[in-house]
Amino acid sequence: MRLPAPESGQILVKTTESVMTITLNRPDKLNALTGAMYRDLVDLLALAGEHDDVGAVLIEGQGKSFCAGNDLGDFLAAGEAGDNATEGGAAPFIRAVSRFEKPLVVAVQGNAVGVGVTMLLHADIVVAADDAKFITPFVDLGAVPEAGSSKLLPAWLGYQRAARMLLAGEPLGADEALQCGLVAKVVGRSELEGAARAYAVALAAKPRRAMRESKRLMRQAPEMALHDVIDHDLALFAELLRGDEAKAILAEKLGKK
């Protein structure tokens, strides 16, 4: 697959071992996201979703911090122009990342702020360095939580811990993020890139439709009654077992015995 050059000049992209690695490359601004960077991210997620040779996406950030959130200059300029800052910048990316059907892995070091945190709620595996801090200062900026974080953080972390983040603006450290399930694994800073990539490569190598449907089940299940989940996953299980993907895997395994 031929990859386009991101227009912002502040996003790097490569595909190896069926993993598209997207790197935020604005380290001098702690990878704060501009409108142009958001557009690049949306386009790359769409490209990854469309191509069969991409099995997973890994998002990472260059420099000492993963992502400082939305570029405040962009917010200010949009407000002065009378535009909806969210709709013009983060909103298309938030919708794209929340609806992305393939496995998404994110590597976090240093500060993750604002959308640098809320995008993680839509990832499948988040690996954090031990120096990571997760900060959601929406109220302090005169705004409200976005990307579904007002629903997802209380559900995942409990209301009191979510209120510390979303209302009081308190940072959450890497160990506490691991304890409450915001991240899957905490590693030393030097191990971060390798650990996150290992997850992405492993997920990309798994059967594609089974992975996609399993991710969809996990995302839909909290909104469904348990008996509906059971009926749905049993029907889907039977359908996939009759499919070519499962048949080939089972035949190969039986042939090895």
Side-chain angles (χ1 to χ4, degrees):
M1 179 181 63
R2 186 174 181 179
L3 294 171
E7 293 183 9
S8 69
Q10 295 168 326
I11 300 286
L12 304 177
V13 60
K14 64 181 180 181
T15 300
T16 55
E17 298 180 282
S18 297
V19 174
M20 177 184 284
T21 300
I22 300 172
T23 305
L24 310 181
N25 189 35
R26 198 187 180 204
D28 57 319
K29 298 295 184 180
L30 304 180
N31 297 318
L33 297 172
T34 64
M37 292 171 74
Y38 279 126
R39 289 191 292 273
D40 285 337
L41 290 168
V42 170
D43 290 345
L44 289 171
L45 287 175
L47 187 65
E50 292 166 1
H51 284 268
D52 290 339
D53 49 352
V54 175
V57 167
L58 169 62
I59 297 178
E60 60 183 14
Q62 286 275 36
K64 65 181 183 180
S65 284
F66 167 62
C67 176
N70 199 95
D71 184 274
L72 297 183
D74 271 20
F75 268 150
L76 182 60
E80 290 176 345
D83 297 331
N84 184 317
T86 305
E87 284 300 323
F93 168 67
I94 290 168
R95 294 191 178 103
V97 77
S98 67
R99 297 168 186 173
F100 188 62
E101 293 188 337
K102 294 181 179 180
L104 176 62
V105 178
V106 183
V108 179
Q109 81 280 9
N111 288 349
V113 182
V115 71
V117 174
T118 59
M119 74 168 79
L120 306 179
L121 303 176
H122 305 287
D124 299 296
I125 299 286
V126 179
V127 181
D130 52 15
D131 66 345
K133 289 186 179 179
F134 304 87
I135 309 164
T136 50
F138 300 110
V139 171
D140 294 337
L141 295 173
V144 295
E146 35 81 312
S149 56
S150 59
K151 173 183 173 68
L152 295 174
L153 278 175
W156 290 13
L157 278 60
Y159 184 88
Q160 292 296 321
R161 193 176 256 141
R164 282 173 47 204
M165 293 187 70
L166 296 177
L167 303 183
E170 289 186 14
L172 196 72
D175 289 339
E176 191 173 6
L178 177 63
Q179 178 188 20
C180 65
L182 182 60
V183 306
K185 190 173 186 178
V186 174
V187 298
R189 181 68 173 267
S190 63
E191 303 171 73
L192 178 63
E193 183 179 355
R197 178 161 184 81
Y199 272 118
V201 170
L203 294 176
K206 292 182 183 293
R208 298 291 172 80
R209 188 180 177 201
M211 176 63 71
R212 184 175 66 250
E213 296 294 351
S214 295
K215 175 172 176 172
R216 184 177 292 125
L217 281 171
M218 290 177 68
R219 295 287 173 170
Q220 291 176 343
E223 307 300 325
M224 299 169 64
L226 179 58
H227 64 271
D228 290 333
V229 175
I230 291 171
D231 289 345
H232 182 57
D233 65 29
L234 284 174
L236 193 57
F237 185 95
E239 178 188 339
L240 264 66
L241 203 58
R242 294 191 298 268
D244 292 340
E245 190 175 70
K247 286 180 179 178
I249 292 169
L250 292 171
E252 181 182 3
K253 290 185 178 295
L254 288 171
K256 290 180 178 180
K257 289 185 176 180

